[in-house]
Amino acid sequence: MPSSAEPAPPTGIHHTGPPGPTTTPSATGGNRVIPFGRRTTRTGRGRRTPQPAQPERVVGPGSPEQRLAETAEAWFLKRGTSLTDETTADTYRATLDLVQLMLDGSLHEQIVGADEHRHLSGMVRGLRDAPDAL
């Protein structure tokens, strides 16, 4: 039985994103899908599956991750702010989440291939983790 907080979708249709339109016109006049994929943790009748704890990433001194974090921090310091500031770090991560959404949409629309998507997503993940490495 669906939760009272979530309306039950019509039979045979599964919505994976927020309510509202999920297509935008393309330059060629057809509709293009904007993927709002959501990884669900539900199984069967709305029961949530336990999620394993994510291991904490350890960034060693002089590692590529640490050098990337220091480069990003230098970029922010040059502009009078820092990734050690929680508000700045939160905005930075939100921006990179938006970049990841763009990459996911590009993969879905076959603008980039799976290898390119994997490579670029890895780069975005590395940048996104920079505040944690400082």
Side-chain angles (χ1 to χ4, degrees):
M1 175 170 215
S3 163
S4 62
E6 297 178 28
T11 305
I13 299 175
H14 178 69
H15 297 281
T16 59
T22 58
T23 61
T24 58
S26 70
T28 60
N31 285 337
R32 295 178 59 132
V33 174
I34 299 174
F36 285 104
R38 143 180 117 195
R39 293 190 177 122
T40 182
T41 58
R42 292 180 184 238
T43 61
R45 299 178 181 242
R47 287 173 262 151
R48 293 197 175 263
T49 59
Q51 297 298 307
Q54 295 295 322
E56 187 173 317
R57 290 187 56 163
V58 178
V59 177
S63 68
E65 294 87 358
Q66 182 65 38
R67 289 193 312 268
L68 179 60
E70 290 168 358
T71 299
E73 177 67 353
W75 191 87
F76 277 87
L77 288 172
K78 195 174 187 180
R79 286 152 183 83
T81 189
S82 171
L83 288 175
T84 59
D85 174 66
E86 274 307 309
T87 302
T88 302
D90 185 53
T91 302
Y92 172 78
R93 287 183 186 110
T95 302
L96 289 171
D97 288 345
L98 185 59
V99 170
Q100 185 62 54
L101 180 65
M102 178 192 66
L103 290 173
D104 294 344
S106 296
L107 175 65
H108 185 269
E109 290 293 320
Q110 299 176 352
I111 296 168
V112 298
D115 290 340
E116 292 87 355
H117 179 265
R118 193 171 21 264
H119 180 80
L120 293 169
S121 293
M123 293 170 67
V124 169
R125 257 190 319 279
L127 283 169
R128 195 177 189 292
D129 292 343
D132 300 325
L134 298 173

